[in-house]
Amino acid sequence: SVYDAIRHKRQSREIRTAFSQYLSPKMVNILADDPSNLKLGGEERELTVLFCDVRGFTGISEMYTATGLTDLINRLLTPLTTVILNREGTVDKYMGDCIMAFWNAPLDVKRHAYEGCISAIGMLAEIDPLNERLRVEAEEEGRKHIPLQVGLGLNTGLGVVGNMGSDQRFDYSVLGDCVNLAARLEGQSKSYGVDIVIGHSTRDLVPELATIPLDFIQVKGKTEGVHIFALMGDETVADDEGFLSLKATTQEMIDAYTAQDWTKAREKIAECRGKLNGHRIAGLYDLYEERVTEYEETPPPEGWDGVFIATTK
């Protein structure tokens, strides 16, 4: 009994050390109290994966010293990480100014797609207050202020999660096609002029949240097209009549575009612009207007199904 107690205490300590950096204290306590919840090695699970990256970070970094840039990154990543951990997420890794996180491992998260989406919305909400503090500091120090902007991508699907690496070094991480697509969706957020892009598998699991269709796209590295959506807000936004009208008109615009009815597509683009009402999605209609102009001059090939083939990540 004494031996078992010592072994359990040592095992709990090791788990706390290993997971305290990327799990919330609540989840660390659950794992430490019952280590059987943790399976070492690879395990296939349905996961929701999130990528968050700062746009135009190279230009911003040129304005800071190495020490100042480190402080800026820490001030950005700390509140964003707190949002993730508070919604039962697992922080996979930091890659400079980028965060990768996932939900539903190592412990089950009942509505992992919902928690991931609400986290993304919460992370966006942290940016404006931080930018205001940075603006005040820049004015006091007499330097230029460039507001921080982030883009996020989320996708849900099967992935392999576990301790991965080598005998010398390993991390608790996830691999799989769902991860690759989430990273590609984050990269497309700038192209479509929106803050958060989600895959159709994630959208299908969060019908109560505010989403708007974006496109049928074949991302780089994929051979098939996927339907992607902009995550615009929570349940309150989803029930707003103005938002519902914008969403319906956007779908009509995309339907006309897919049917190669360029005149109707232009009409619907104009209607959407008149219904924005503060929604940060104007760039989407700029993008479609450019495409319509190009296709009016050079029509798509016969048998075109509306898919857009992305050439950038």
Side-chain angles (χ1 to χ4, degrees), residues 206-269:
V206 292
E208 68 271 47
L209 298 183
T211 61
I212 280 184
L214 290 177
D215 205 355
F216 182 50
I217 182 174
Q218 181 180 318
V219 299
K220 192 169 184 179
K222 296 278 288 185
T223 58
E224 297 180 354
V226 294
H227 291 280
I228 62 174
F229 303 81
L231 177 63
M232 303 296 294
D234 60 13
E235 294 89 340
T236 302
V237 178
D239 292 335
D240 179 74
E241 291 185 4
F243 170 77
L244 291 172
S245 179
L246 176 62
K247 179 178 180 178
T249 307
T250 301
Q251 185 63 66
E252 292 171 358
M253 181 267 292
I254 292 177
D255 290 342
Y257 166 82
T258 304
Q260 302 184 43
D261 187 343
W262 311 127
T263 300
K264 184 177 181 180
R266 283 189 180 280
E267 293 174 355
K268 293 301 177 181
I269 289 172

Side-chain angles (χ1 to χ4, degrees), residues 94-167:
Y94 301 109
M95 296 164 281
D97 58 311
C98 178
I99 300 176
M100 174 184 170
F102 55 86
W103 282 260
N104 207 34
L107 299 177
D108 294 337
V109 177
K110 187 175 182 180
R111 298 204 61 199
H112 50 86
Y114 180 84
E115 297 295 341
C117 288
I118 292 297
S119 293
I121 295 170
M123 292 165 74
L124 278 181
E126 296 288 341
I127 299 301
D128 285 345
L130 175 60
N131 275 328
E132 179 58 23
R133 293 192 294 271
L134 294 174
R135 183 191 65 79
V136 172
E137 292 173 7
E139 287 184 357
E140 292 175 348
E141 297 172 9
R143 44 183 185 79
K144 183 180 178 182
H145 169 62
I146 300 178
L148 295 173
Q149 290 183 293
V150 298
L152 297 103
L154 294 99
N155 186 52
T156 302
L158 290 177
V160 177
V161 63
N163 286 319
M164 301 177 189
S166 67
D167 292 338

Side-chain angles (χ1 to χ4, degrees), residues 11-23 28 31 38 40 163 170-172:
Q11 191 174 35
S12 296
R13 184 170 60 250
E14 292 172 350
I15 289 174
R16 290 181 190 279
T17 300
F19 285 90
S20 61
Q21 300 302 313
Y22 43 83
L23 283 179
V28 172
L31 284 177
L38 177 62
L40 300 178
N163 286 319
F170 60 84
D171 291 310
Y172 189 78

